[in-house]
Amino acid sequence: MRQRSFIAITAALAAGALTLTACGSRDDEGSSSDDSGTTVTIGIDAPLTGDLSALGLGIKNSVDLATKQANEQKYVDGVTFKIEALDDQALPSSGQQNASKLVADDAVLGVVGPLNSSVAESMQKIFDDAKLVEVSPANTNPALTQGTEWNTGTKTRPYKSYFRTATTDAIQGPFAAQYVYNDSKKKKVFVIDDKKTYGAGLAATFTEEFKKLGGTVAGTQHIDPDTKDFSAVATQVKSSGADVVYYGGEYPQAGPLSKQIKAAGAKIPVVGGDGIYSADFIKLAGASATGDLATSVGAPVEELASAKEFVSNYEAAGYKEAYEAYGGYSYDSAWAIIEAVKKVVEDNDGKLPSDARAKVTAAMQNVSFDGVTGKVSFDEFGDATNKQLTVYAVENGAWKAVKSGTYTG
């Protein structure tokens, strides 16, 4: 395990005063090199435009910060890191195309992303076939690491090149259910999801735990994520007599949904997962969002001693966008790749081997360090060993942490 120091990034560096370029001859795999050393690319796949771009840009910027700090520290002797960020627009088809593009670039030795579990499903095999490691800071669907039969107790890892620093919905959904039932004393829930991999899976794990605790499901409904008119389902919620709504999905739909539920006369909280934990949810939901809840992976970054320098350095770097919910996890995902590259270089007499991708993927399994979000390491499925979660409530127009802990089931 290696404890790294953080070095402040100047505004000039963030503005691009230092440009990293790859030039010279290309090695057999995994880098470009010249007399000054080797350049390794860390790919990024995230929604950089569209409704979810706030989260995607936070991912991109945080990976960029990690690579700049690694270069500033000369953390891997003889290696300079750069990024290649591709926009998937939260679409599986775009993610699949991006995966192929990143695989085709020999300089790419690791990829951070994607944001969406449905996009990850379209990318995993492409990366795995190329032995290119992928570390997601945000995917939470359990099947990505434990197989489609995970909920029956049969867990099988589908792809050894896939890792994540976020915990899964097998924990997040039940954690939310325990808070809603035990802490908020809500006993009758209306469950809504957007029919996508992330949202439907999260709603299912919440529902199972809520019923196990003794709660009642007053109704269920699916919404079309391509619309913003939720008046029909809002009316159903009001008629159901539910005292809470659980929504499996993301903030572009959750914000208007919450607003319309309140407008229909159901003055009850809307609860969601990390997909709604964004300042943009509050903007879309308006003043009536007060009291709405969201769970998110890990402890609040702003409150972690290990994250203070990350927050300070991110602000000093001058990024226009906030690091959002996954900033710390994106930084740690990138640093996990950097650590794996460092191990491979050190084991090969100070240079990258011809089979660098396969070696980096193998090294990732044993990566362990103290990161922004706490201890970063992976279990036998490639899942984060850090299982902490936090419940946030909307208070005075902002998210406020109200409870942190781990699921005890």
Side-chain angles (χ1 to χ4, degrees):
M1 180 180 71
R2 186 180 297 274
Q3 172 70 45
R4 66 186 183 281
S5 61
F6 293 89
I7 297 179
I9 302 297
T10 65
L13 175 58
L18 177 61
T19 302
L20 304 177
T21 58
C23 56
S25 62
R26 184 169 297 279
D27 293 343
D28 291 339
E29 181 187 308
S31 68
S32 56
S33 62
D34 59 20
D35 291 340
S36 62
T38 299
T39 299
V40 168
T41 301
I42 295 178
I44 302 167
D45 178 86
L48 305 179
T49 59
D51 286 346
L52 294 172
S53 60
L55 297 177
L57 291 167
I59 291 171
K60 175 190 172 184
N61 294 343
S62 300
V63 175
D64 182 64
L65 180 62
T67 60
K68 286 175 176 175
Q69 289 191 309
N71 293 336
E72 196 65 11
Q73 297 177 37
K74 301 187 186 306
Y75 192 70
V76 182
D77 190 34
V79 172
T80 297
F81 293 94
K82 61 176 286 190
I83 65 168
E84 174 69 18
L86 301 180
D87 181 13
D88 63 29
Q89 299 178 302
L91 298 172
S93 58
S94 296
Q96 190 173 57
Q97 293 169 8
N98 291 346
S100 296
K101 183 176 180 180
L102 291 167
V103 164
D105 183 352
D106 289 343
V108 178
L109 290 191
V111 178
V112 175
L115 169 70
N116 305 86
S117 293
S118 56
V119 176
E121 287 178 325
S122 74
M123 306 175 83
Q124 284 181 303
K125 187 176 188 304
I126 296 171
F127 287 140
D128 201 64
D129 287 347
K131 296 182 173 60
L132 178 58
V133 74
E134 170 189 16
V135 188
S136 174
N139 296 160
T140 54
N141 187 275
L144 295 171
T145 49
Q146 300 174 20
T148 56
E149 301 300 315
W150 67 270
N151 204 26
T152 68
T154 302
K155 298 180 181 180
T156 303
R157 185 175 184 177
Y159 301 105
K160 291 186 178 180
S161 64
Y162 178 87
F163 297 80
R164 54 179 153 199
T165 53
T167 196
T168 76
D169 294 333
I171 298 170
Q172 182 175 202
F175 182 76
Q178 289 188 352
Y179 183 85
V180 169
Y181 187 87
N182 295 325
D183 296 74
S184 293
K185 308 299 182 185
K186 305 296 185 183
K187 310 300 181 185
K188 194 174 183 182
V189 65
F190 197 103
V191 180
I192 306 170
D193 70 64
D194 62 1
K195 297 184 287 188
K196 296 198 293 187
T197 301
Y198 163 73
L202 183 59
T205 59
F206 171 89
T207 301
E208 182 180 4
E209 180 71 12
F210 192 77
K211 289 165 66 176
K212 188 186 300 182
L213 292 168
T216 301
V217 177
T220 60
Q221 192 53 268
H222 309 288
I223 59 134
D224 179 357
D226 294 326
T227 186
K228 293 295 189 291
D229 180 4
F230 306 119
S231 55
V233 70
T235 300
Q236 292 178 40
V237 171
K238 175 66 168 65
S239 301
S240 74
D243 56 8
V244 64
V245 171
Y246 190 83
Y247 176 65
E250 296 150 334
Y251 67 82
Q253 295 75 37
L257 177 64
S258 173
K259 190 173 187 177
Q260 291 171 45
I261 286 172
K262 304 322 194 283
K267 308 298 184 183
I268 59 177
V270 171
V271 184
D274 54 315
I276 80 167
Y277 177 56
S278 169
D280 283 13
F281 167 83
I282 300 172
K283 293 176 186 176
L284 292 167
S288 63
T290 297
D292 285 350
L293 301 167
T295 52
S296 193
V297 294
V301 169
E302 298 83 355
E303 297 177 12
L304 288 170
S306 60
K308 288 181 179 178
E309 289 184 84
F310 164 75
V311 174
S312 175
N313 291 338
Y314 191 97
E315 292 172 353
Y319 297 110
K320 294 179 181 179
E321 304 86 11
Y323 52 81
E324 287 281 353
Y326 306 108
Y329 294 90
S330 302
Y331 185 103
D332 283 347
S333 293
W335 205 273
I337 294 170
I338 292 166
E339 290 281 4
V341 171
K342 183 180 180 68
K343 171 66 173 171
V344 170
V345 168
E346 289 178 345
D347 287 351
N348 195 53
D349 298 324
K351 60 183 184 298
L352 285 169
S354 60
D355 59 344
R357 281 182 174 172
K359 289 287 200 308
V360 169
T361 296
M364 185 63 69
Q365 189 63 55
N366 295 315
V367 160
S368 179
F369 62 94
D370 294 323
V372 169
T373 59
K375 181 65 175 290
V376 178
S377 60
F378 306 99
D379 66 16
E380 68 270 28
F381 299 102
D383 282 327
T385 55
N386 184 349
K387 309 295 186 184
Q388 189 165 26
L389 289 152
T390 300
V391 178
Y392 296 86
V394 178
E395 295 183 12
N396 299 316
W399 289 110
K400 180 182 177 182
V402 293
K403 185 174 184 177
S404 291
T406 56
Y407 167 60
T408 54

